[in-house]
Amino acid sequence: MTAGHRRGHGPGHRPGPDDVRRLALALPETKEVEAWAMPTFRVAGKMFLTMPDDQSSFAVRCPRLERGELIAAEPEKFWVPPHEAGSNWVRARLAALEDMTELRDIVVDSWQQAAPPRLLETFAAPDPYAE
């Protein structure tokens, strides 16, 4: 058992805001920038994740054509506030995520939509349970 597993970050661990931040910052060339009184995460200057409101959810890039299907399939997990309806973003409720692997997959997908091609060529997703 690794130190991460002993600390409660193993399979079955419910992700929290610190996990979102850690996974986002583990991605190549990611920087955390405070904007609109909340943390935002950017790669090559392009935003790919925000932690709005009370940090019980986070927002990621999601093509509008896919967003409706995603929300319809898992409305307890994904949603869009009315003021963001015209955007290419979706919010995910942390409490509804299955585990750290699902969180990593969501964060990585959004990062890949914003990252320049030169970063995507050699990209390998981080271990969601690494400290």
Side-chain angles (χ1 to χ4, degrees):
M1 183 176 284
T2 66
H5 288 218
R6 284 193 301 275
R7 289 192 184 106
H9 290 286
H13 166 72
R14 289 283 180 196
D18 290 342
D19 298 312
V20 175
R21 176 175 277 111
R22 180 178 53 80
L23 283 171
L25 291 173
L27 297 168
E29 297 187 27
T30 294
K31 296 193 179 352
E32 183 173 349
V33 177
E34 183 83 12
W36 308 288
M38 68 178 145
T40 68
F41 298 85
R42 301 162 192 246
V43 58
K46 291 177 74 176
M47 193 164 46
F48 70 93
L49 188 146
T50 68
M51 293 282 296
D53 308 320
D54 63 0
Q55 297 191 355
S56 64
S57 68
F58 59 98
V60 291
R61 291 174 171 263
C62 182
R64 268 186 271 175
L65 295 175
E66 296 173 21
R67 189 174 68 183
E69 290 178 22
L70 185 65
I71 293 168
E74 298 183 272
E76 73 289 347
K77 192 176 292 183
F78 299 103
W79 61 288
V80 176
H83 70 278
E84 294 176 5
S87 73
N88 288 324
W89 291 76
V90 66
R91 291 198 190 183
R93 291 179 180 89
L94 280 167
L97 297 182
E98 293 174 25
D99 57 21
M100 292 293 293
T101 300
E102 183 177 33
L103 172 62
R104 184 223 26 222
D105 292 348
I106 293 168
V107 171
V108 166
D109 182 67
S110 186
W111 178 88
Q112 288 174 319
Q113 292 178 57
R118 67 180 169 74
L119 291 179
L120 298 175
E121 291 171 6
T122 60
F123 175 71
D127 178 349
Y129 299 107
E131 289 285 323

